[in-house]
Amino acid sequence: MAPSLFSLFGTCMLLLASTNDGFGVEAETEFKVGDDFGWQEPVNNNTAMYTQWAARNRFRVGDSLSFEYKNDSVLEVDKWGYYHCSSSNATIAFNNGNSVIKLDRPGPFYFISGTLDHCMNGQHLLVEVMGLHPIPHSPPPVISVTPESYSAPGPLPSSSSGSLVSATISSVLFISLVIVKIA
């Protein structure tokens, strides 16, 4: 029984190592706010410009927003500050012309221009951040196992031994994950 458990453990470790270090997370993305237009007051009363930009993108925890601007600023505010163009309770404020903000949690993030007229004319952004990046689905690797490695002399299993084998396999997988996490 020990050699087949060792084989199973080795197989589990190989599978975990082959899936993006076993953590299931894709690369992070940096989004340039407004694309080529950047972060500036929208022209021709285009107040929905940044709302439309955000709707075209999908933001996940770990991504970041790059704000590029001249003679302006970007403030992270709460929901009330966003809808009222109020900078009084800003949690983050930048005015360096090139600001990168990490999206470090799921949920809404609210940004406004620090220039009141700009915000009132549509220079504000709401992004909804989803959880971590998933691994793209690919077929599992095919592992060839000979029937001899699973055959063992002994009595036929009883009807309750299936749950013991299932519990043993689950334990081995859990221990494999713990070892990978520690390493």
Side-chain angles (χ1 to χ4, degrees):
M1 180 103 169
S4 46
L5 281 180
F6 184 73
S7 299
L8 181 60
F9 177 77
T11 301
C12 291
M13 296 300 289
L14 180 64
L15 283 171
L16 288 172
S18 69
T19 57
N20 239 0
D21 295 329
F23 293 106
V25 178
E26 251 186 38
E28 299 163 347
T29 303
E30 182 172 302
F31 293 91
K32 181 181 175 189
V33 174
D35 295 326
D36 292 335
F37 187 75
W39 180 247
Q40 60 182 315
E41 182 179 15
V43 294
N44 300 330
N45 203 24
N46 187 6
T47 58
M49 187 187 109
Y50 290 107
T51 303
Q52 293 166 352
W53 177 83
R56 288 191 306 269
N57 293 290
R58 189 161 296 230
F59 308 98
R60 294 200 177 268
V61 171
D63 290 342
S64 54
L65 299 176
S66 172
F67 292 84
E68 294 180 12
Y69 50 93
K70 293 179 182 163
N71 303 318
D72 209 329
S73 61
V74 59
L75 310 172
E76 183 178 354
V77 296
D78 61 9
K79 184 177 183 177
W80 191 90
Y82 173 81
Y83 286 104
H84 295 93
C85 288
S86 172
S87 61
S88 62
N89 290 325
T91 55
I92 298 174
F94 295 102
N95 63 358
N96 62 3
N98 190 3
S99 308
V100 177
I101 299 173
K102 186 85 160 179
L103 303 173
D104 58 358
R105 60 173 171 74
F109 283 76
Y110 302 94
F111 302 97
I112 64 172
S113 168
T115 305
L116 181 60
D117 289 345
H118 291 193
C119 181
M120 298 297 275
N121 290 329
Q123 191 179 355
H124 50 86
L125 172 67
L126 163 60
V127 296
E128 187 67 39
V129 179
M130 299 184 305
L132 294 172
H133 287 269
I135 293 178
H137 290 9
S138 58
V142 177
I143 299 175
S144 151
V145 179
T146 60
E148 297 84 38
S149 65
Y150 289 111
S151 61
L156 292 174
S158 68
S159 62
S160 65
S161 67
S163 59
L164 178 61
V165 170
S166 175
T168 303
I169 291 172
S170 298
S171 299
V172 169
L173 288 173
F174 176 75
I175 291 169
S176 301
L177 289 171
V178 169
I179 290 172
V180 168
K181 265 299 208 197
I182 292 172

